[in-house]
Amino acid sequence: MIALEGLTRHFDGKAVVDGLSLTVARGELLVLLGGSGSGKTTTLKMINRLIAPTSGRVRIDGRDTAELPGHELRRSIGYCFQQIGLFPHMSVAENVAITPSLLGWDPAEIRRRVDELLTRVELAPEEFRDRAPDALSGGQQQRVGLARALAARPLVMLLDEPFGALDPLTRDRLQQEFQQIRRDLELTAIFVTHDMVEALLLGDRIAVLEEGRLAQVGTPAELLRSPANAYVERLMETPRRQAELVDRFLGRDAGP
């Protein structure tokens, strides 16, 4: 479904992404994992051409994205990110409806789609559709951002740390909701995070980036059991240690 072929991007003569080649199967969620400066967000932005590659190609469903007009490409891809970026002068419903409106959908169909998606992200349409974004909590705004990214029925979604600024309970709930929506709609997705636990929980596979290069790609179990190098091993230490602590506490509480 998605193929990155030798994808490279230079800034000021330095390779921020360096010869990255990856494939994402239809219906798969691939996590891009790595620390700050590893090239995750730059990779995501090259996929929807917010940033032009210095070299290499991106193919979606076999088509070279460089051959598509940028606005046409971006309207066909759901894009959700941490800053949310809701338009403050528009209502919740108007924010969700932006892309379908640009695509010329019938107003009645747009209204049905908006109400459907608000319901899916657990924001009752009759209560939330006419609210302004600044009347929402951070978690509610993030739900609206997710609904907006899904509005035009994309087959591909790009998510850039969309839940990173949320409190743990809201974050866990939205992760679960997104996973259910993704499976129901058979979405193909690339999800950027620096959170190792989030990567292990959400990813069908995880691609670890180190200084713009691919360090390892594999299932969560493969990365935990057989890290390819010391960098991947360090990344996996945190979730492994947390799991061991939970097991220890549970064993202690169980008693003799």
Side-chain angles (χ1 to χ4, degrees):
M1 183 67 174
I2 304 174
L4 313 184
E5 302 173 357
L7 205 58
T8 299
R9 174 67 195 200
H10 291 102
F11 286 113
D12 299 325
K14 179 182 177 182
V16 178
V17 177
D18 191 1
L20 181 61
S21 294
L22 280 169
T23 59
V24 187
R26 190 178 303 274
E28 180 181 32
L29 188 148
L30 177 76
V31 172
L32 294 183
L33 174 67
S36 299
S38 60
K40 306 183 302 297
T41 295
T42 300
T43 298
L44 213 63
K45 289 182 176 180
M46 284 193 287
I47 293 171
N48 68 359
R49 295 235 318 272
L50 287 173
I51 295 176
T54 303
S55 62
R57 288 189 297 189
V58 177
R59 295 184 184 275
I60 296 180
D61 221 7
R63 297 190 65 183
D64 188 336
T65 58
E67 298 174 356
L68 301 173
H71 68 280
E72 180 182 322
L73 171 68
R74 285 186 282 277
R75 287 176 189 174
S76 69
I77 296 174
Y79 189 43
C80 190
F81 48 97
Q82 182 175 327
Q83 290 77 18
I84 309 169
L86 300 181
F87 293 101
H89 61 288
M90 293 182 175
S91 69
V92 164
E94 288 169 336
N95 268 280
V96 176
I98 285 173
T99 302
S101 298
L102 290 172
L103 292 172
W105 287 25
D106 178 78
E109 184 182 4
I110 291 175
R111 183 179 179 89
R112 285 194 297 271
R113 181 63 172 165
V114 168
D115 287 355
E116 172 195 347
L117 288 170
L118 290 179
T119 300
R120 290 207 70 142
V121 299
E122 299 185 356
L123 296 173
E126 62 276 10
E127 181 180 354
F128 287 96
R129 66 177 350 270
D130 295 324
R131 287 195 188 181
D134 63 5
L136 306 178
S137 68
Q140 290 168 342
Q141 290 183 25
Q142 197 68 63
R143 291 167 193 256
V144 176
L146 180 58
R148 181 177 63 182
L150 291 163
R153 298 189 178 94
L155 296 177
V156 172
M157 281 197 72
L158 306 177
L159 302 102
D160 191 358
E161 303 203 40
F163 312 134
L166 302 177
D167 66 85
L169 289 177
T170 303
R171 182 175 186 170
D172 179 67
R173 183 64 178 153
L174 276 179
Q175 287 171 344
Q176 292 181 51
E177 288 172 0
F178 171 67
Q179 283 288 62
Q180 188 60 55
I181 290 170
R182 182 180 73 85
R183 294 188 181 109
D184 289 348
L185 301 181
E186 298 181 342
L187 291 170
T188 304
I190 298 180
F191 190 108
V192 162
T193 185
H194 66 274
D195 185 312
M196 285 71 73
V197 174
E198 183 170 63
L200 293 168
L201 290 174
L202 295 183
D204 296 313
R205 288 186 304 141
I206 300 169
V208 179
L209 300 186
E210 180 182 12
E211 297 183 351
R213 296 179 180 175
L214 182 63
Q216 186 174 359
V217 61
T219 66
E222 287 169 346
L223 267 65
L224 282 166
R225 292 171 182 162
S226 304
N229 61 20
Y231 178 70
V232 180
E233 172 69 29
R234 288 197 302 273
L235 288 178
M236 294 300 108
E237 282 177 1
T238 298
R240 189 182 292 115
R241 183 173 61 251
Q242 290 174 345
E244 289 171 352
L245 283 171
V246 170
D247 284 343
R248 190 181 309 160
F249 292 144
L250 288 173
R252 185 181 302 162
D253 290 343

